[in-house]
């Protein structure tokens, strides 16, 4: 079973500033975090299988992406 973050799950979430993707997540779907304008830092597992197109589109303040 593939564990993922579904399409548009957090789209436009203005409260989201830092994000840590759990190790069991394998897929981040299209537009999952699109428009999260206050998102600045994302930490995700290095084993992540797929980050779909536009998953982080219009995250204009995203400055850092870390892989653990």
């Amino acid at each position: 079973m593939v564990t993922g973050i579904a399409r548009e799950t957090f789209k436009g979430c203005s409260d989201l500033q830092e994000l840590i993707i759990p190790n069991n997540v394998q897929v981040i779907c299209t537009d999952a975090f699109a428009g999260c304008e206050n998102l600045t830092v994302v930490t995700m597992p290095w084993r992540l299988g797929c980050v779909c197109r536009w998953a982080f589109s219009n995250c204009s303040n995203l400055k850092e992406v870390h892989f653990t």
Side-chain angles (χ1 to χ4, degrees):
M1 181 167 109
V2 174
T3 302
I5 299 173
R7 183 182 181 137
E8 299 182 359
T9 301
F10 294 96
K11 186 176 183 178
C13 181
S14 61
D15 291 334
L16 193 58
Q17 296 176 4
E18 291 189 33
L19 175 64
I20 299 173
I21 306 291
N23 287 331
N24 65 329
V25 171
Q26 298 169 339
V27 176
I28 300 175
C29 293
T30 302
D31 292 329
F33 298 97
C36 295
E37 295 179 354
N38 293 318
L39 183 61
T40 58
V41 179
V42 175
T43 302
M44 59 182 75
W46 65 272
R47 292 181 173 200
L48 190 66
C50 179
V51 177
C52 295
R53 195 179 339 179
W54 303 302
F56 293 94
S57 66
N58 297 317
C59 294
S60 55
N61 289 307
L62 183 59
K63 305 291 185 217
E64 298 177 35
V65 177
H66 304 277
F67 294 91
T68 59

